Amino acid sequence: MLFRSKTNYVYMTTTAASMAFTFPAAAAAIDGVMITVVTNIAVATATWASTGATFAGAPVATVANTPIRFIYNHATLIWYIA
């Protein structure tokens, strides 16, 4: 897999018991892209979506101020925990 230096950050600042995170759709152009998600409050129910891709090991909740890093592998069409 080709690792790229691109990194995107999502930072949620509102209070929510649940949150849906939508990542870019599966595409060769994003192979190796890393996305870091950080929430400033704990989210009890986190769901993850990416058209054409799945998630391996994505947490069902977030912990306040604790980053979760995902990296996309186009060969498998999966966002992995990095």
Side-chain angles (χ1 to χ4, degrees), residues 2-74:
L2 173 65
F3 289 95
R4 300 183 184 197
S5 61
K6 293 181 184 178
T7 302
N8 299 305
Y9 297 91
V10 177
Y11 194 85
M12 190 187 85
T13 59
T14 60
T15 302
S18 64
M19 183 73 183
F21 297 93
T22 303
F23 283 35
I30 64 166
D31 190 38
V33 165
M34 183 179 289
I35 294 180
T36 302
V37 176
V38 180
T39 58
N40 66 332
I41 54 106
V43 176
T45 305
T47 56
W48 310 91
S50 175
T51 303
T54 59
F55 289 80
V60 297
T62 69
V63 177
N65 303 312
T66 303
I68 307 163
R69 290 178 184 86
F70 294 90
I71 191 161
Y72 177 70
N73 182 330
H74 192 63

